[in-house]
Amino acid sequence: MSERQYYVQSLIEIDEQREIAYRYLSDFAANRTTWYRDPKKTNLAMLLKKDVVMFAARGVATAEEFVIEAFRACESSSEETVIGNTWQAVVAAISSDTLDTGDMMTVRDGALYVCELKSQTNTVNSSSFPQELRELKDKCAAQKRFKRASNQDVLPAFCILKEKKPIDEMRTYRTSERDQANKDIDGFCYRYLAGPAFWQWLTGFDSVEGLVEDPSRIDTGDVASARKECMERLLQEMNDALNQRFLPRSIAGVLRLKRMLHEPKQ
């Protein structure tokens, strides 16, 4: 194959990878449309699970403002899991020797890497991170129990999709004397990949933006109108609930509504 032929072939492969990404992201939009239109998933009860006092302390003063802010918080929480699963499927689909079987696994440098994939660093916190590592350690142990050709190494990798700084380094989890609950993962070594380093490692692209060159090619369907309709429905649900109980359309009224709905029935 000539240098020009190789170049043309590479461009074709890149276009194919991007088409795969657009297809999965279109499916994500369809998923969100379904979520917005499902009253069992998006309803007033869902909003009232949020900390009303916290919103008040943030300057939210009316019931309408609460609905808007609480809706965005619920929406973000729901999206985080779905977009994480979407990106995992995209990466597995466009990366050679990579499988998405619920857990993402890839063969690199002769070793099988079991990957824990997170969309961004704030997806986990100091309390949840040890459990994430414990699960990663257990997944590696499960894979090691299978016989592998040529005694193939099974290695753990903790991966972050969105991070400006490229990071590719070995890390070791260390516990303090007071951290008895996590002694079982003390000394656990894993490869930490973030941002451009992760993308280059698996896909050859440098980032999400490098892969999704033209976001306008994502078929979003009627997700925008579904979101607008959902917001209008939630605002109506709030107004109806307050009116039925003769409560004011203030944040104080919202707090009283939450208490009334959660009072045990006699």
Side-chain angles (χ1 to χ4, degrees):
M1 182 182 292
S2 68
E3 184 176 336
R4 175 176 174 76
Q5 287 174 321
Y6 179 80
Y7 176 73
V8 171
Q9 181 64 32
S10 296
L11 290 179
I12 292 173
E13 290 176 357
I14 290 172
D15 284 342
E16 290 174 347
Q17 289 174 310
R18 286 186 170 133
E19 284 301 326
I20 290 171
Y22 295 138
R23 187 163 65 248
Y24 275 99
L25 290 167
S26 296
D27 290 342
F28 170 81
N31 176 287
R32 303 318 296 158
T33 299
T34 300
W35 186 80
Y36 290 131
R37 288 180 170 162
D38 187 350
K40 292 181 180 179
K41 294 181 178 178
T42 55
N43 50 51
L44 181 60
M46 173 191 75
L47 302 187
L48 291 175
K49 288 179 181 178
K50 294 296 181 182
D51 188 339
V52 177
V53 175
M54 179 194 72
F55 285 102
R58 245 175 44 192
V60 173
T62 68
E64 180 178 356
E65 291 172 356
F66 171 79
V67 169
I68 293 170
E69 294 296 324
F71 170 71
R72 287 173 179 166
C74 293
E75 178 184 46
S76 177
S77 177
S78 173
E79 282 177 337
E80 198 64 49
T81 298
V82 181
I83 196 62
N85 293 337
T86 298
W87 283 124
Q88 180 165 318
V90 168
V91 169
I94 69 174
S95 174
S96 62
D97 298 318
T98 302
L99 294 174
D100 177 14
T101 57
D103 301 320
M104 194 172 77
M105 295 184 289
T106 188
V107 176
R108 291 290 183 274
D109 303 320
L112 175 70
Y113 280 88
V114 179
C115 306
E116 185 66 34
L117 183 61
K118 299 298 177 185
S119 59
Q120 50 196 10
T121 52
N122 64 6
T123 305
V124 295
N125 53 43
S126 58
S127 60
S128 64
F129 185 60
Q131 181 57 30
E132 298 282 356
L133 288 184
R134 183 175 291 107
E135 291 177 3
L136 179 58
K137 182 181 179 182
D138 291 344
K139 290 172 185 176
C140 283
Q143 288 300 320
K144 287 178 181 178
R145 286 194 286 271
F146 292 104
K147 290 184 178 180
R148 304 215 165 266
S150 304
N151 295 317
Q152 184 182 47
D153 285 336
V154 179
L155 303 173
F158 197 92
C159 307
I160 305 294
L161 281 166
K162 296 180 182 178
E163 172 63 47
K164 290 183 179 179
K165 180 182 177 181
I167 304 173
D168 182 358
E169 61 190 24
M170 294 302 299
R171 294 186 176 183
T172 302
Y173 185 80
R174 293 298 183 189
T175 59
S176 65
E177 290 191 6
R178 292 182 296 179
D179 187 14
Q180 295 298 316
N182 296 313
K183 285 295 183 182
D184 61 312
I185 57 171
D186 184 51
F188 176 59
C189 296
Y190 58 97
R191 188 172 179 178
Y192 185 90
L193 291 126
F198 164 76
W199 280 94
Q200 287 288 347
W201 185 58
L202 279 188
T203 71
F205 293 94
D206 60 357
S207 63
V208 170
E209 291 77 13
L211 173 61
V212 185
E213 188 180 46
D214 183 4
S216 66
R217 290 173 62 183
I218 301 170
D219 180 6
T220 58
D222 55 353
V223 66
S225 59
R227 185 179 188 275
K228 182 174 180 291
E229 292 163 8
C230 180
M231 178 73 75
E232 292 172 348
R233 174 170 56 80
L234 292 171
L235 286 168
Q236 189 60 54
E237 285 183 27
M238 175 63 79
N239 284 334
D240 290 345
L242 293 174
N243 288 339
Q244 289 170 9
R245 295 163 180 81
F246 303 102
L247 295 172
R249 291 187 176 85
S250 64
I251 195 66
V254 173
L255 183 59
R256 289 174 61 188
L257 173 64
K258 178 175 182 175
R259 288 172 175 167
M260 291 173 72
L261 292 177
H262 285 82
E263 285 179 355
K265 296 181 179 180
Q266 301 296 327

